[in-house]
């Protein structure tokens, strides 16, 4: 159960990167001053989640794949890989993050 909760947290963070990038691209097309309140809230949320993902994962993730996964999830499309495999990859990512943190801790 704890693994699924942690997996859900990673998924939320990953989804946020895609949202941030999507909103960021939209903002480039129009000035920030022209955004309505809903757009500003969405953009702000995307920025914070994107910063969090950047700080947590650095360059370890493939941004286009994150964006694709977010888009498919939000659109309710079928996924290119089965849910069981998705869970396995998320778990592997968690384990790698934990191992990296342990190495960093031991280095101190």
């Amino acid at each position: 159960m704890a693994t699924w909760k942690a997996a859900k947290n990673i998924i939320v963070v990953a989804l946020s990167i895609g949202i941030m990038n999507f909103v960021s691209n939209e903002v480039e097309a129009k000035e920030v001053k022209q955004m309505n309140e809903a757009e500003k809230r969405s953009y702000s949320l995307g920025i914070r989640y994107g910063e969090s993902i950047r700080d947590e994962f650095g360059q370890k993730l493939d941004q286009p794949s994150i964006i694709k996964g977010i888009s498919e999830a939000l659109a309710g499309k079928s996924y290119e890989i089965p849910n069981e495999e998705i869970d396995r990859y998320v778990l592997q990512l968690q384990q790698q993050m934990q191992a990296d943190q342990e190495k960093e801790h031991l280095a101190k």
Side-chain angles (χ1 to χ4, degrees):
M1 188 60 121
T3 301
W4 175 241
K5 184 176 180 182
K8 284 173 57 176
N9 288 339
I10 288 178
I11 291 168
V12 168
V13 171
L15 289 175
S16 300
I17 261 184
I19 292 169
M20 181 198 71
N21 187 48
F22 175 78
V23 173
S24 171
N25 288 339
E26 291 296 314
V27 169
E28 289 176 12
K30 58 182 172 180
E31 294 181 32
V32 174
K33 291 183 272 184
Q34 296 176 348
M35 282 195 238
N36 65 36
E37 288 300 309
E39 291 170 328
K40 287 178 183 178
R41 281 191 301 270
S42 298
Y43 179 76
S44 298
L45 181 62
I47 289 293
R48 292 299 177 240
Y49 279 131
E51 290 171 342
S52 175
I53 292 168
R54 179 198 63 218
D55 294 345
E56 184 73 29
F57 299 103
Q59 299 297 321
K60 296 179 184 179
L61 301 174
D62 180 61
Q63 188 174 354
S65 296
I66 292 171
I67 293 166
K68 183 177 182 180
I70 291 168
S71 296
E72 289 178 359
L74 290 173
K77 293 182 178 178
S78 60
Y79 306 141
E80 291 187 17
I81 57 177
N83 277 316
E84 296 81 17
E85 196 171 338
I86 291 169
D87 292 341
R88 188 178 81 230
Y89 282 113
V90 169
L91 180 59
Q92 287 174 358
L93 180 59
Q94 289 174 310
Q95 290 169 339
Q96 182 60 51
M97 288 174 35
Q98 185 176 13
D100 291 348
Q101 288 172 349
E102 289 173 4
K103 284 179 189 177
E104 188 177 304
H105 180 69
L106 290 174
K108 291 182 179 181

